[in-house]
């Protein structure tokens, strides 16, 4: 008798002009991950249920494909594929925009590829956050969305609940990020090997990038999590978090840990280190500057926390996984 596995539903959004190769590619990628996970024969790994959602204009997207039909437990994530054809931000379907906002408010992680990041920007969810997009859209993107910190030279910006990627074919890395989060780095690496696509070694060697649990159903705690993601948790206190949740501190502590599996202090540490990992991989800022940027006044405290979570000193992490040369220091 087989073990009963939990189900995690991943929605792929189909909008007018969406690249269907990415829609079906993501579907196949998650199918391969399911097959590799099933070989482990453990109930601890969830079954990835893949659904396609389609809508135009003011229509609310409807499920048009379901890999494993069953009870509706809500979407863990929404993937927004790229578009090969022309796309006008002013013509973004309002029904899709409202649906995207609704899914995020209910705890879904959003992942946008290329034009997908524009739909996320149109939703307003990226305001005040960091994002990337395809190089051909960078100038227009920066002008239209001045409150978004555009990192045009960064291939992927994983900001916890919002992930944006820059390349048309980056849907594979986005899919692997979600496999990493839900099934673990070894399953993600195995999926990448099977499909012969590139995948960062940092997750398999240093643990997954921080993947906050958002689909727990506690609206008060989710509100705080979205706030921490948007601020980077750089200057927060237990009192401020409890007030944001509208809860007494002891109640907040209990519910936060029950929902996320972490104490608030641990959660903030993981969030900051996750942002630091990305900066070490894709930027050439000094380690002290990165420490300050992610909220550490004391660089030595940052180094100790970073090593505790990843197993590597920040300098060693950059040497192994960085894609840009380090800053040269004048003698």
């Amino acid at each position: 008798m087989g073990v009963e596995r939990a189900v995690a539903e991943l929605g792929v959004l189909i909008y007018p002009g969406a690249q269907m190769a990415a829609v079906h590619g993501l579907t196949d990628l998650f199918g391969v991950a399911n097959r590799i996970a099933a070989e482990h024969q453990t109930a601890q790994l969830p079954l990835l249920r893949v659904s396609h959602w389609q809508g135009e204009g003011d229509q609310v997207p409807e499920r048009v494909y379901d890999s494993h039909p069953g009870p509706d437990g809500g979407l863990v994530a929404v993937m927004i594929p790229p578009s090969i054809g022309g796309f006008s931000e002013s013509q973004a379907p309002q029904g899709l925009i409202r649906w995207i906002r609704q899914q995020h408010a209910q705890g879904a992680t959003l992942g946008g590829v290329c034009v997908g990041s524009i739909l996320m920007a149109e939703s307003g969810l990226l305001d005040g956050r960091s994002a990337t997009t395809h190089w051909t859209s960078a100038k227009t993107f920066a002008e239209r969305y001045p409150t978004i910190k555009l990192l045009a030279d960064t291939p992927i910006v994983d900001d916890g609940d919002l992930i944006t990627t820059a390349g048309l074919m980056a849907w594979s890395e986005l899919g692997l990020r979600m496999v990493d989060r839900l099934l673990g780095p070894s399953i993600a690496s195995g999926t990448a090997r099977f499909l012969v696509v590139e995948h960062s070694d940092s997750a398999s060697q240093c643990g997954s990038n921080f993947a906050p649990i958002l689909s727990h159903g506690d609206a008060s705690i989710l509100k705080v999590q979205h706030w921490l993601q948007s601020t980077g948790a750089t200057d927060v206190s237990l009192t401020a978090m409890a007030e944001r949740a509208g809860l007494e501190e002891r109640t907040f502590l209990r519910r936060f840990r029950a929902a996320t599996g972490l104490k608030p202090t641990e959660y903030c540490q993981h969030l900051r280190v996750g942002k630091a990992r990305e900066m070490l991989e894709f930027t050439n800022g000094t380690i002290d500057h990165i420490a300050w940027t992610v909220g550490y006044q004391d660089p030595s405290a940052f180094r100790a926390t970073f090593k505790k979570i990843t197993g590597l000193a920040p300098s060693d992490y950059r040497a192994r996984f960085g894609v840009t040369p380090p800053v040269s220091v004048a003698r």
Side-chain angles (χ1 to χ4, degrees):
M1 187 173 178
V3 289
E4 190 71 23
R5 294 166 63 188
V7 175
E9 184 175 355
L10 301 161
V12 183
L13 182 60
I14 302 174
Y15 57 88
Q19 183 190 17
M20 295 308 294
V23 173
H24 296 303
L26 283 164
T27 305
D28 289 344
L29 185 151
F30 294 134
V32 169
N34 271 334
R35 195 169 74 241
I36 293 174
E39 294 170 0
H40 288 251
Q41 297 183 334
T42 172
Q44 293 178 332
L45 297 177
L47 175 71
L48 304 185
R49 174 184 177 184
V50 187
S51 53
H52 298 172
W53 298 76
Q54 188 166 9
E56 298 184 21
D58 283 334
Q59 294 178 340
V60 175
E62 296 181 350
R63 190 189 276 112
V64 295
Y65 166 80
D66 196 337
S67 66
H68 297 83
D72 189 357
L75 297 177
V76 171
V78 173
M79 314 281 126
I80 309 174
S83 171
I84 290 181
F87 181 84
S88 171
E89 295 90 335
S90 61
Q91 296 174 344
Q94 291 307 301
L96 301 191
I97 299 299
R98 287 194 298 271
W99 185 79
I100 288 169
R101 280 198 292 258
Q102 178 188 8
Q103 296 304 318
H104 181 258
Q106 292 174 354
T109 297
L110 302 182
V113 182
C114 193
V115 163
S117 63
I118 294 176
L119 285 174
M120 288 169 61
E122 284 291 315
S123 74
L125 293 169
L126 285 172
D127 290 353
R129 306 283 290 272
S130 297
T132 189
T133 191
H134 194 267
W135 63 270
T136 59
S137 308
K139 185 174 184 294
T140 305
F141 190 100
E143 292 171 351
R144 186 173 177 87
Y145 313 110
T147 64
I148 299 173
K149 183 181 178 184
L150 180 62
L151 306 175
D153 296 328
T154 303
I156 183 167
V157 175
D158 185 341
D159 206 16
D161 56 335
L162 302 173
I163 306 172
T164 52
T165 61
L168 279 166
M169 300 303 291
W171 56 263
S172 60
E173 179 58 25
L174 176 62
L176 290 169
R177 288 269 172 143
M178 294 313 304
V179 172
D180 186 328
R181 289 187 176 199
L182 297 167
L183 302 179
S186 63
I187 303 294
S189 296
T191 303
R193 280 196 304 273
F194 182 88
L195 296 172
V196 197
V197 293
E198 289 187 17
H199 181 51
S200 171
D201 291 332
S202 65
S204 58
Q205 295 184 33
C206 298
S208 303
N209 285 291
F210 181 52
I213 297 171
L214 302 168
S215 54
H216 44 68
D218 190 328
S220 296
I221 300 304
L222 182 62
K223 180 181 177 183
V224 174
Q225 289 177 274
H226 284 158
W227 175 60
L228 291 173
Q229 290 291 159
S230 65
T231 61
T234 54
D235 186 20
V236 291
S237 65
L238 175 60
T239 301
M241 287 186 274
E243 286 178 355
R244 177 72 56 159
L247 299 170
E248 188 269 331
E249 287 187 18
R250 287 180 62 185
T251 303
F252 169 75
L253 276 170
R254 176 177 54 78
R255 283 173 53 176
F256 190 95
R257 189 164 190 176
T260 68
L262 294 168
K263 298 175 183 176
T265 50
E266 295 171 331
Y267 188 96
C268 291
Q269 285 179 345
H270 278 273
L271 194 155
R272 292 171 182 172
V273 166
K275 289 181 179 292
R277 284 174 65 161
E278 193 162 270
M279 293 179 73
L280 287 165
E281 289 184 38
F282 298 119
T283 77
N284 58 8
T286 66
I287 291 170
D288 283 4
H289 176 73
I290 290 172
W292 179 82
T293 301
V294 301
Y296 286 89
Q297 304 299 318
D298 180 359
S300 62
F302 164 72
R303 285 175 167 83
T305 301
F306 190 94
K307 187 165 187 177
K308 181 180 73 173
I309 290 175
T310 68
L312 286 176
S315 56
D316 294 335
Y317 186 94
R318 167 174 274 162
R320 188 175 299 184
F321 304 115
V323 296
T324 56
V327 172
S328 59
V329 179
R331 294 184 181 277

